[in-house]
Amino acid sequence: RSRRQRQMCIRDRTSEYSDCEDTTFKLRARLAACYAYIKAEKNPLPRAHALQIRADIYLSIGNPHLAWADMLSIFEDAPDYIERIKNYRIVRTNKSYRSNANRKYWYSKYVVRKNNLFSNKLKNIHLLKGAYWFKKQKYYNAISELTETILLNPTNFMAFSVRGTCFLNVERYKSAVKDFEEVIKLNPQNAIAYNGLALSLYKLGKYVEAQKNIEIALRQDPNLHGAAETSELIARELRH
């Protein structure tokens, strides 16, 4: 490539990143810009930023599994990214305004805070931190961050699902059952949750209930990773 071509390529990537970050754009347009930028960019840190934005967009349009995959990819691209976000947390702040009748009202808003600086970016910061600790197999740390996510958004079934998996890994099976049952309430077509629930019930010795749930998981997704092994474990206990 000539120098001019390289400069044009850099300018194109900068434009793609700006489009990716611009909240005035439609979500699908921002998503396309993120795809293009992530594919072209070689520097790990800018790629990590773009992956984080794309994960937020996926959450906004109702694709939490793709969002989670992007969050895990962030720390593959830039393992030190956690150092850049570890001091951020979401806090609740009270803001006031006056109506035309000059009466005072209060409302609350969740914002991302680093020391005394506030920002609307990184609104899924606790989920992102949860992904980091989950990837590092630090399950108690992940549970803490995912609990914060759930407190802020009780309908985030992805946070319940991953926290349930963490509870399974630390042998807190009753807590895992509660989380997977909550996922099923929020998203009844989630085969992963049925598999997790079946495995949790198996660990608690409730083999008949476990069998019912693993059958639903396999009916929804016959190729689900780990489901065949779970089914075999349960069937073996039921034969005894």
Side-chain angles (χ1 to χ4, degrees):
R1 277 184 188 174
S2 68
R3 182 178 176 183
R4 180 173 175 75
Q5 285 175 321
R6 286 198 301 273
Q7 287 174 340
M8 287 292 291
C9 183
I10 291 167
R11 271 203 296 276
D12 286 346
R13 288 209 298 274
T14 304
S15 172
E16 284 160 357
Y17 184 75
S18 299
D19 292 349
C20 178
E21 203 172 27
D22 191 343
T23 55
T24 62
F25 276 44
K26 288 185 178 179
L27 289 176
R28 296 288 178 184
R30 290 178 63 201
L31 193 59
C34 285
Y35 267 108
Y37 183 82
I38 290 162
K39 190 175 179 181
E41 182 58 60
K42 303 299 181 189
N43 193 327
L45 195 56
R47 269 176 59 85
H49 281 301
L51 281 164
Q52 175 251 310
I53 293 168
R54 190 170 73 176
D56 285 347
I57 295 169
Y58 276 140
L59 286 170
S60 298
I61 62 177
N63 282 325
H65 291 98
L66 292 176
W68 184 253
D70 271 359
M71 287 179 177
L72 294 176
S73 297
I74 288 169
F75 302 109
E76 289 177 6
D77 277 18
D80 60 341
Y81 192 73
I82 191 66
E83 295 299 319
R84 302 177 68 86
I85 63 170
K86 70 178 182 180
N87 292 325
Y88 285 86
R89 60 193 179 90
I90 294 181
V91 296
R92 188 172 182 137
T93 61
N94 286 323
K95 303 223 172 186
S96 64
Y97 67 93
R98 292 183 182 275
S99 71
N100 292 335
N102 211 27
R103 292 178 63 187
K104 197 169 187 180
Y105 293 91
W106 292 88
Y107 67 96
S108 297
K109 184 181 180 182
Y110 287 109
V111 294
V112 179
R113 180 176 182 178
K114 182 186 179 185
N115 302 326
N116 292 321
L117 300 176
F118 293 86
S119 169
N120 286 324
K121 294 181 181 179
L122 292 171
K123 61 184 177 181
N124 296 302
I125 187 72
H126 291 297
L127 190 58
L128 191 57
K129 287 181 179 179
Y132 173 79
W133 292 120
F134 182 82
K135 192 172 180 63
K136 290 285 184 182
Q137 297 183 356
K138 303 278 186 179
Y139 297 117
Y140 282 108
N141 291 14
I143 288 166
S144 176
E145 295 295 344
L146 293 163
T147 301
E148 290 292 331
T149 303
I150 290 163
L151 288 171
L152 292 165
N153 182 5
T155 61
N156 189 331
F157 67 83
M158 175 53 68
F160 277 110
S161 181
V162 180
R163 193 176 70 170
T165 304
C166 292
F167 281 135
L168 256 177
N169 281 295
V170 297
E171 300 181 4
R172 289 176 58 182
Y173 303 123
K174 289 182 180 178
S175 297
V177 167
K178 288 179 183 177
D179 273 4
F180 288 124
E181 284 177 343
E182 191 62 35
V183 177
I184 291 164
K185 282 182 194 172
L186 295 167
N187 183 14
Q189 302 305 313
N190 194 311
I192 294 171
Y194 281 107
N195 181 51
L197 179 57
L199 190 54
S200 304
L201 291 167
Y202 165 79
K203 294 290 186 181
L204 290 169
K206 298 179 179 180
Y207 305 124
V208 176
E209 291 177 54
Q211 179 67 25
K212 289 176 185 175
N213 283 283
I214 198 62
E215 284 173 1
I216 296 170
L218 287 167
R219 197 157 54 242
Q220 290 185 354
D221 185 355
N223 300 314
L224 181 65
H225 178 71
E229 290 83 351
T230 304
S231 179
E232 191 177 329
L233 286 170
I234 296 165
R236 192 181 303 152
E237 291 296 333
L238 288 172
R239 283 197 297 269
H240 290 161

